Amino acid sequence: MLRSLSVRVVIALVLGLALGAAVAAFGGAGLRNGVELVESVGNLWLNALRMTVVPLIFAVMVTGIAGVADAAATGRLAVRALVLIAVMMTLSAVFALGFAQVFYAVWPVSGPAAAAIRAGARAAPEVARAAPTFVGFVSGLAPGNILKAASEDAILPLVVFASFFAFAATRLPEPRRSAFVGLFESLGEVMITVVRWVLWAAPVGVFALALGVGLRAGVGAAGVIVHYITAIVLGNIGMTLVAYVMAMLGGVSLGRFARAAAPVQVTAFATQSSLACLPAMIERCRDDLNIPDRVSGLVLPLAVSIFRITGPVANFGVALFVVQVYGLHPSAMQYLGATFVAVATSMASVGLPGQVSFFASIAPICLSFGLPVDLLPILIAVEVIPDIFRTVGNVTADMALTKVLARGEPQAA
């Protein structure tokens, strides 16, 4: 069990918080200084993660959009699938906003616990410094200096530039286009390798950061983490229910779809991998939902590749939780920009490994709000729990999408 990185990181988180809280309660000045020295190792590890965000996002945006363009070229069914995927991903981000408003109205992140976790994170958010107007938002979509935007973590204009850059690359003639996109595929693979190296030290980095959080936050940090897990899990469950509604729009009864999806959901719960569920999804779609093989054979692999319906609601949900922790009130323009970034990064980083995807997808959303990313290493330590519900929701939506697109097609024999 200890061979699992997720397990080791969770253990490191618990030990760090507990030891830091113990030093805060019973330790003297010498121990406190020792904790702060160890915490510097955690800050080094966090900076090593931060340095990969811009090149990784740019690389996966280019390769992701090029891949979607290739898929669109395969025919009418693929184009319909891509349009519906884009609509559902946007709906997921909008759902995240609505769910957050209701959830935090009922159970707000406030009081000593929020103050404690803010003290533990140290870094002050910049979002309250200048809320952009509509004119400023529109004019800022295109970066006047792409290198300056990258150096200042101006993620939204960077994503816009990467999108235009990627679509322009798809207009290159073969084989120049393949060679050009291959360059960014290589860049993405290199950056993923770097992130994997950094994540190899995640137990040490998380322990060091959690030690500092525990020192300044005490036992109050545990309650905030439980609050976070509850918010993200319920958001994922909400989008899973939306997938059931989508399936019914495809002409299948709720009971029939639930019976077809149940074996796949069990596999998703056990493996936390949509790809591992692909054979089961193809079988259930054919045998239980009577979907032609030519439909499921195209749509399901495409959906597994780029469609993670819980991506925006979960990734956006993490950033919205951080907003709540800091007690901030972003402007409508900031929400609009963050929504765009949430959809774009969720689709672009869909093929990345779990921990890599978490940071690559959520850090840009936080940066688009002007939020610090100091809490993310703590939250990634408990991501193993929300990730179960992410995967269950994703495979459910993949099957629902396939059923919707199969409507009107000749039925399987």
Side-chain angles (χ1 to χ4, degrees), residues 62 66 69-70 164-184:
V62 172
D70 287 341
F164 278 98
F165 187 86
F167 278 114
T170 64
R171 308 301 297 175
L172 291 173
E174 291 286 358
R176 289 168 57 193
R177 182 174 67 87
S178 296
F180 188 79
V181 174
L183 173 65
F184 285 92

Side-chain angles (χ1 to χ4, degrees), residues 157-209:
L158 186 68
V159 167
V160 171
F161 175 77
S163 301
F164 278 98
F165 187 86
F167 278 114
T170 64
R171 308 301 297 175
L172 291 173
E174 291 286 358
R176 289 168 57 193
R177 182 174 67 87
S178 296
F180 188 79
V181 174
L183 173 65
F184 285 92
E185 289 177 345
S186 299
L187 174 61
E189 291 172 3
V190 168
M191 296 314 301
I192 289 173
T193 300
V194 173
V195 174
R196 280 175 170 159
W197 288 346
V198 176
L199 289 174
W200 180 82
V204 175
V206 168
F207 173 80
L209 290 171

Side-chain angles (χ1 to χ4, degrees), residues 329-349:
H329 302 281
S331 68
M333 293 301 102
Q334 287 172 310
Y335 277 125
L336 180 61
T339 300
F340 177 81
V341 172
V343 173
T345 56
S346 294
M347 294 183 69
S349 61

Side-chain angles (χ1 to χ4, degrees), residues 344-380:
T345 56
S346 294
M347 294 183 69
S349 61
V350 73
L352 300 182
Q355 289 88 358
V356 180
S357 177
F358 181 91
F359 199 83
S361 300
I362 298 169
I365 304 172
C366 289
L367 293 173
S368 70
F369 275 130
L371 291 167
V373 296
D374 298 62
L375 286 180
L376 296 188
I378 302 298
L379 301 181
I380 197 176

Side-chain angles (χ1 to χ4, degrees), residues 244 247-260 289 403:
Y244 281 98
M248 289 189 289
L249 294 177
V252 62
S253 68
L254 178 61
R256 183 183 176 190
F257 181 77
R259 289 191 295 272
L289 300 179
K403 183 58 181 174

Side-chain angles (χ1 to χ4, degrees), residues 141-162:
L141 286 176
N145 185 328
I146 187 62
L147 296 179
K148 182 180 179 183
S151 66
E152 294 179 350
D153 291 331
I155 294 297
L156 179 57
L158 186 68
V159 167
V160 171
F161 175 77

